[in-house]
Every structure is written in C-alpha cells, then in structure tokens.
Amino acid sequence: MHNGHMKVCRVALLGAFAVSLTQFSSSLAAVDGPTATVAVKALNFLQPKPAKPTPVTIVTDPGQAAAGEAIKSALGADVTAKVVDGAGDLSGAVAIVVVGGADVAAKATTGQLVIGDMACMTAGKCALAVERQASGAAKYHVNTAALAKAGVSFDKNFQMLVTAH
C-alpha cells in the first residue's frame, strides 16, 4: 500500500508541475495576434493621445513575415500596420510590435513604444508586454526604464492597471 500511495503522490506532483509549466510557458510565449490586439489597446492611453489610425510597425525575425502578417490581420481598424524584418524601416510608427528575437531597442526613436513578449520586456528591450492568463484575462507589464528611455508616458488611469518592473 505504501508504494501505491507514493506512486499516486508522484503522479499528482508531476501533474501539478506540468500545469504550472504550461501556465509559465504561456505567459512567456511569443507575441501572437490576440496578444498584440490587447497590447495595441494600450495605445489609447498614451499621452499625448496619438491620432487614429495609429501607425504600428510589426518587426519579425528574417523569414518570419507570415507571423507578422497574421498579427497585422488580427489588429483592429484603429491602427495601420506594416510588417518588416529586423533591418526594416521603423520611421513613422507610434508603436513597434516585436515578434521573435528581433532587437529594435537601438533603432527605436524617442516617442516609439516598443511592445514585445515578457522576455523582451524583462530584458529592457521592450517597454510593454502583455501576459495572457489561462483564464483568458490579460495583464499589462511595463519596464519603467525602457519606457522612460522611449520618452513615452501613459494616462494615470492606465498606470494603475499595469505591473511596473
């Protein structure tokens, strides 16, 4: 009986670990269409408020344009989007959505909000990330140093909704 109980405990522990790992990996997942759609909603809280439609550039790793196009098609009518690779032109964009490992921190100019995944935000290469929860809810995260470097600020009401890093 003792071995049977140990086996059940191990299976339960492994199951709990797998669920935790799945939730952890989904929060670190790359930016996709639904995540980008939530992230772009933050543009409504930029100060000063940008004109609509807001220009957004989606930056992908070389050869990953299809992922960028999928995100572009998921964005609403409030934005005009273009897809470029890491070497592409970022001029004119109010926001830059980073897909994959592209690093645009040095190319982005003052006033451009760089949006990426949690790893990009944690590393300070992106100012904003969205963490999607298993429940469907989303949490905004900002890297305050990257936000300050970009010269971008949000409305005080939005600031209350974000987790600062």
Side-chain angles (χ1 to χ4, degrees):
M1 187 69 155
H2 188 269
N3 283 342
H5 181 67
M6 291 283 286
K7 200 180 253 185
V8 168
C9 286
R10 273 188 273 179
V11 169
L13 223 100
L14 286 173
F17 178 71
V19 169
S20 296
L21 191 57
T22 301
Q23 290 175 341
F24 177 72
S25 65
S26 71
S27 71
L28 297 178
V31 176
D32 60 8
T35 303
T37 300
V38 172
V40 167
K41 289 181 182 189
L43 300 178
N44 292 320
F45 298 97
L46 285 176
Q47 294 298 317
K49 201 170 225 165
K52 297 219 174 146
T54 307
V56 173
T57 298
I58 301 163
V59 180
T60 65
D61 290 328
Q64 298 296 316
E69 290 295 334
I71 289 171
K72 178 180 174 181
S73 68
L75 300 179
D78 287 346
V79 301
T80 56
K82 69 178 180 181
V83 178
V84 301
D85 67 17
D89 181 22
L90 305 180
S91 64
V94 170
I96 300 164
V97 178
V98 177
V99 180
D103 183 356
V104 300
K107 283 180 70 174
T109 61
T110 301
Q112 290 181 318
L113 176 66
V114 180
I115 301 167
D117 60 21
M118 290 295 290
C120 183
M121 186 277 308
T122 302
K125 297 177 181 179
C126 299
L128 178 73
V130 173
E131 178 186 18
R132 290 178 41 215
Q133 309 286 308
S135 66
K139 290 174 66 176
Y140 289 101
H141 295 265
V142 294
N143 182 303
T144 54
L147 200 61
K149 182 180 175 192
V152 176
S153 63
F154 288 107
D155 177 271
K156 296 221 183 287
N157 293 322
F158 183 74
Q159 290 176 21
M160 293 187 296
L161 301 174
V162 303
T163 301
H165 297 264

